[in-house]
Amino acid sequence: MAAILARAGATAAGGLRSGGDVRRRRNMVAIVAATTTTGAGPAVPKEGSLERPAWSGETPLSRLVGGLIAFKPLYSLMKLASREVIIRTAEKSNVPWREMTKQVLESDVYEVFDRIRDLNLVYPDYYLNPFHAYDEGNLSWLAAAEAEPATMSIAKRAIPDAGSIEEANQIVRGNWLNAIEEHHLKYSGNCQINDILDIGCSVGVSTRYLAEKFPSARTVGLDLSPYFLAVAAHKEEKLSRQNPIRWVHANGEATGLPSNSFDLVSLAYVCHECPARAITGLVNEAFRLLRPGGTIALTDNSPKSKVLQELSPVLFTLMKSTEPFLDEYYMLDLEETMRQAGFVNVHSILTDPRHRTVTATVPF
């Protein structure tokens, strides 16, 4: 863990623009240190005293919040309030939410849509529900246009003392990528990462990070939303890389991709958006797709995060109003689910104050 945090600090400091001055670099190192160390040296972010937040699962508090959300007139108000809080908080953190959304909606992204979409794909029932304050869930242009600023906001919420969104992302993504690399090096022998699958890739933010971390690998981004994939592909067309990312419109539980065809399968911020049965299906499918010695990496909210356990009642109520499967996610033993699928060397660490990265290996 110490090695991961040290390397993440180097990644974050090295990721600054060349025009940054020495003082800014020193500030960045200080932010990384404050996030990941104590006076005694490197340490993991703080865990709370509970196994999961008191506002999740079958607790009285969770049932009370669930009852409030079930009251439709109140739910409608919560949904609007949640959306407003998310956008306002993002823009206070200098995420140009409305500007980025407008750029996507006024672009020629719509021309990519028909090339990406699989008309024969049958959506699972849970995916057709309202989600993230969108009545159409992830099957809309507005959700796709707002996905990247929403993703950028995740890092700033995790590292609130970072001087910028860029710096926060370097820490959050740097810790995640280094956790993946360390696990693979430790448990996969001499197996190289030649083929990567990013399940639930959304608009391709995590996919691009993976492709940049492992530039010689062939990378595939897969998602259920053709709207998200169109945005991802539209942005990728403007980039130049050694191995262009391939985008696939498919269900992560039944991808239709060949068995034993990947060395790394990643799911970034996906599982908390799924019912328990779907998470199990995703893990089983990842096991089928990975070669022996391959690595699965799931990064998402940590039930043991001290920050999440201490959220204010207003914030956790608003959050639960737009995340219908949050209770199922927190109640599921993810590590045991991975072992039941056949994975070994299952390890879970807090890679930032809010999120854990769970890694495991397909046995030889």
Side-chain angles (χ1 to χ4, degrees):
M1 184 63 198
I4 292 172
L5 297 174
R7 291 169 62 202
T11 300
L16 298 177
R17 298 183 188 276
S18 58
D21 57 22
V22 173
R23 180 174 60 82
R24 187 162 176 260
R25 289 176 183 271
R26 285 174 179 165
N27 287 346
M28 185 62 222
V29 174
I31 290 167
V32 176
T35 305
T36 61
T37 66
T38 66
V44 297
K46 291 182 179 179
E47 292 188 349
S49 58
L50 306 174
E51 284 297 307
R52 62 184 63 88
W55 45 261
S56 68
E58 297 299 324
T59 65
L61 179 57
S62 178
R63 287 195 292 271
L64 173 62
V65 173
L68 294 173
I69 294 171
F71 184 56
K72 288 190 176 181
L74 185 56
Y75 165 73
S76 298
L77 292 174
M78 285 182 183
K79 185 172 67 173
L80 293 173
S82 178
R83 178 174 170 78
E84 181 58 33
V85 166
I86 290 169
I87 295 174
R88 186 172 66 247
T89 302
E91 293 188 331
K92 279 185 177 179
S93 299
N94 296 317
V95 175
W97 185 294
R98 291 177 176 86
E99 180 184 339
M100 291 178 71
T101 301
K102 182 180 178 183
Q103 286 177 355
V104 172
L105 293 177
E106 294 181 354
S107 72
D108 56 355
V109 67
Y110 310 99
E111 298 174 8
V112 185
F113 182 78
D114 288 334
R115 299 202 309 266
I116 290 286
R117 180 173 54 165
D118 179 358
L119 291 171
N120 296 317
L121 180 64
V122 177
Y123 295 101
D125 55 356
Y126 72 85
Y127 200 73
L128 301 175
N129 292 331
F131 204 78
H132 286 169
Y134 303 108
D135 289 338
E136 304 88 357
N138 290 335
L139 296 173
S140 74
W141 283 116
L142 182 60
E146 293 186 331
E148 186 159 5
T151 301
M152 291 169 66
S153 303
I154 290 174
K156 195 62 170 71
R157 287 198 298 271
I159 315 292
D161 292 330
S164 69
I165 290 294
E166 180 187 25
E167 293 172 356
N169 266 306
Q170 290 291 342
I171 298 171
V172 171
R173 299 292 182 167
N175 286 356
W176 162 62
L177 291 169
N178 288 333
I180 293 172
E181 185 178 45
E182 281 221 341
H183 183 99
H184 195 79
L185 287 172
K186 184 173 182 179
Y187 296 108
S188 297
N190 295 321
C191 296
Q192 299 295 313
I193 294 180
N194 295 317
D195 294 281
I196 300 171
L197 176 62
D198 188 24
I199 294 179
C201 68
S202 181
V203 294
V205 176
S206 57
T207 324
R208 292 193 294 272
Y209 272 104
L210 289 164
E212 289 160 10
K213 178 70 173 178
F214 306 101
S216 64
R218 295 172 290 271
T219 303
V220 176
L222 181 146
D223 203 273
L224 268 168
S225 173
Y227 301 88
F228 285 12
L229 289 169
V231 173
H234 181 258
K235 183 161 187 173
E236 182 69 13
E237 287 175 355
K238 300 176 182 179
L239 304 175
S240 176
R241 67 174 83 248
Q242 178 182 341
N243 290 310
I245 297 169
R246 181 164 70 95
W247 308 101
V248 175
H249 182 212
N251 184 345
E253 298 175 66
T255 63
L257 298 172
S259 299
N260 305 316
S261 55
F262 294 94
D263 306 295
L264 170 63
V265 172
S266 171
L267 293 96
Y269 311 109
V270 172
C271 292
H272 78 277
E273 300 183 353
C274 301
R277 69 180 189 276
I279 298 172
T280 300
L282 291 167
V283 170
N284 287 334
E285 178 70 349
F287 187 84
R288 183 186 71 82
L289 292 168
L290 283 163
R291 298 177 178 122
T295 297
I296 184 174
L298 291 77
T299 192
D300 216 314
N301 295 347
S302 172
K304 295 184 178 181
S305 162
K306 187 173 188 291
V307 173
L308 293 180
Q309 289 187 9
E310 295 178 355
L311 282 180
S312 71
V314 171
L315 286 179
F316 68 64
T317 300
L318 291 178
M319 182 169 65
K320 290 188 73 171
S321 71
T322 65
E323 301 278 7
F325 305 112
L326 207 54
D327 282 336
E328 290 193 45
Y329 167 72
Y330 281 128
M331 291 295 290
L332 181 69
D333 186 335
L334 185 55
E335 293 87 343
E336 182 59 25
T337 299
M338 294 166 78
R339 293 187 188 97
Q340 290 291 327
F343 286 100
V344 296
N345 304 319
V346 181
H347 293 280
S348 179
I349 58 171
L350 280 173
T351 39
D352 67 61
R354 283 176 173 255
H355 304 110
R356 62 178 172 177
T357 296
V358 188
T359 49
T361 309
V362 173
F364 290 98

